[in-house]
Amino acid sequence: MKKKGRGRTSRQRRRKSFRTSELSKESENHKQEFIELRKWLKKRKFEDHNLRPTRFSNTGRGLMAVKSLQPGELIISLPKECLLTTDTVIRSYLGDYITKWMPPISPLLALCAFLISEKHAGNKSPWKPYLDVLPKAYTCLVCLEPEVVRLLPRPLQMKAEEQRMQVQKLFISSRGFFSSLQSLFTEDVKHVFHYHAFLWAWCTINTRTVYMKHAQKQCLSAEPDVYALAPYLDLLNHSPRVWVEAAFNEETCCYEIRTTSHCKKFEELFICYGPHDNHRLLLEYGFVASNNPHSAVYIAIDSLVDHLPSVDKQMNKKISLLKEHGFSENLTFGWDGPSWKLLTALKLLCLGPEEFTCWKKVLLGEVISDTNEQKSLVLSRQICSYFIEETKTALHKGVILETSARSEVSAA
């Protein structure tokens, strides 16, 4: 009996599949910036034989496994000498300035200042091989134009605006410290430590550092010092469906990552940044994950009220109770429908005048009446349908904006 998959047609399918697979990725190992980075890392006692810098069609730049990797296998071990931390900054030419400055600056600001200064130094910077492979720009929401951010769901818009204000506030409050560094530069520090440079440095730290706890330094503020920029290792992309063991090994003095799952040869190797939904990923890292099991749609409490009768005289009191007891934020729809928190908020908002005295029981999860249960479920379906349509409209506007931008570039 003839075995399946052994004929000419099967071979043609396999060849086609192989060609498609090969077209979906392109090695960047030969590019000059990665050649220089490997030389730089080798001087700092790091060599890698498991991974290769590669550009993938679906995830962009990442690391490809050049051999099969088994669960528990050490996939990367980056020596402490390669890591950029506040220890690096304090040991540098910025150390004396940071130590003398009062009140102490934060670990985050120290790293930002160092990145900006080193990038400005260009070819003179000992960190140039690493800086050359860092993104020139980021897609975090704090970097996007206001008209683009306005296309996002309202809760995400609010978080993006809050983050933007925090970054701007940090920049403005740091101008005094930046001015104290004038003697290090021949040009005005305002032209070195400008907002665009600061935003780039902030995004680099926010999107690319690994967690590494450091002892508190007297010359820095009491804010958590948990950042470490990890050259080469930070090329690993995120997947919500994998898990790894990652930590600094005090015995080997290396930051190590071990895979907990199998990775096939010539496939992209992923790590997991955490169980983040797409709102968090887009806000903090500037991307979303397809088929994310942690995906959730956030609903602002104002949106709930918009779908309720305006004649409810107890509405203001209901909203006040929800805010007072922590039921006004993180109201979500997930893969399995409305969250318990969202349904509970809807049940309280749907209470009739004769049921209102039972609001405490609602927050404790008790069933008040069949009518209340039904009303809240119907309302949740209406709200879900509304946001599906709103999303379609926003996506359509996004396509129009993108088409318009491309037209302007072509005309220029």
Side-chain angles (χ1 to χ4, degrees), residues 10 56 68 71 87 103 116 145 161 164 170 175 198 252 256 306 319-320 336 365 371 380 391 403:
S10 176
F56 299 88
S68 294
D87 289 331
I116 296 169
E145 295 297 326
E161 177 62 18
R164 185 184 65 81
L170 178 59
R175 284 174 173 167
F198 181 80
T252 62
E256 298 179 348
D306 289 342
I319 294 171
S320 178
D336 53 354
T371 301
S380 71
T391 301
T403 303

Side-chain angles (χ1 to χ4, degrees), residues 33-264:
E33 60 260 38
F34 285 110
I35 292 173
E36 295 301 322
L37 179 63
R38 286 198 302 276
K39 289 179 182 177
W40 182 82
L41 289 168
K42 188 174 182 180
K43 289 179 182 177
R44 294 169 181 246
K45 303 174 185 178
F46 173 76
E47 287 189 78
D48 174 64
H49 304 288
N50 294 333
L51 309 169
R52 180 178 299 166
T54 304
R55 184 162 294 278
F56 299 88
S57 59
N58 56 340
T59 58
R61 194 173 63 181
L63 291 177
M64 179 184 72
V66 295
K67 68 170 189 175
S68 294
L69 298 170
Q70 306 303 319
E73 188 171 349
L74 183 65
I75 56 176
I76 195 165
S77 180
L78 197 65
K80 188 176 183 179
E81 293 84 352
C82 301
L83 302 175
L84 200 167
T85 66
T86 51
D87 289 331
T88 313
V89 179
I90 299 304
R91 289 196 304 266
S92 75
Y93 52 88
L94 292 181
D96 287 342
Y97 294 86
I98 293 173
T99 302
K100 294 174 184 176
W101 185 258
M102 289 293 168
I105 66 172
S106 67
L108 174 61
L109 180 56
L111 287 167
C112 282
F114 185 78
L115 281 176
I116 296 169
S117 180
E118 289 298 302
K119 190 173 177 65
H120 178 76
N123 292 332
K124 295 179 181 178
S125 170
W127 289 86
K128 183 181 185 300
Y130 175 52
L131 296 173
D132 283 349
V133 300
L134 287 174
K136 303 297 184 289
Y138 291 91
T139 55
C140 307
L141 297 189
V142 71
C143 300
L144 300 186
E145 295 297 326
E147 60 264 30
V148 177
V149 176
R150 282 195 292 269
L151 296 173
L152 299 171
R154 182 60 185 158
L156 190 52
Q157 286 185 46
M158 293 168 65
K159 286 189 177 182
E161 177 62 18
E162 181 183 339
Q163 186 183 70
R164 185 184 65 81
M165 291 178 68
Q166 287 175 350
V167 175
Q168 289 182 344
K169 183 179 178 181
L170 178 59
F171 172 69
I172 292 170
S173 66
S174 305
R175 284 174 173 167
F177 171 70
F178 292 151
S179 295
S180 74
L181 305 177
Q182 181 61 70
S183 61
L184 293 172
F185 302 92
T186 55
E187 60 190 284
D188 194 326
V189 287
K190 291 179 181 178
H191 301 310
V192 179
F193 296 93
H194 50 81
Y195 183 68
H196 183 71
F198 181 80
L199 184 60
W200 172 84
W202 185 90
C203 288
T204 297
I205 296 163
N206 196 55
T207 64
R208 306 187 74 80
T209 51
V210 294
Y211 181 89
M212 183 177 169
K213 194 170 183 179
H214 307 280
Q216 186 175 342
K217 301 175 180 64
Q218 289 187 346
C219 59
L220 296 176
S221 69
E223 293 178 35
D225 188 356
V226 293
Y227 308 101
L229 282 163
Y232 197 75
L233 182 152
D234 62 6
L235 293 170
L236 289 165
N237 286 321
H238 165 80
S239 171
R241 298 184 180 277
V242 303
W243 200 255
V244 296
E245 295 173 355
F248 184 77
N249 188 327
E250 296 290 348
E251 293 183 5
T252 62
C253 285
C254 293
Y255 193 93
E256 298 179 348
I257 294 182
R258 293 181 184 273
T259 179
T260 60
S261 57
H262 176 74
C263 181
K264 294 180 181 178

Side-chain angles (χ1 to χ4, degrees), residues 321 325 348 351 355-364:
L321 287 170
H325 291 84
L348 191 147
L351 286 174
E355 299 174 322
F356 185 63
T357 54
C358 300
W359 65 266
K360 284 186 179 180
K361 292 183 178 180
V362 173
L363 297 184
L364 291 172

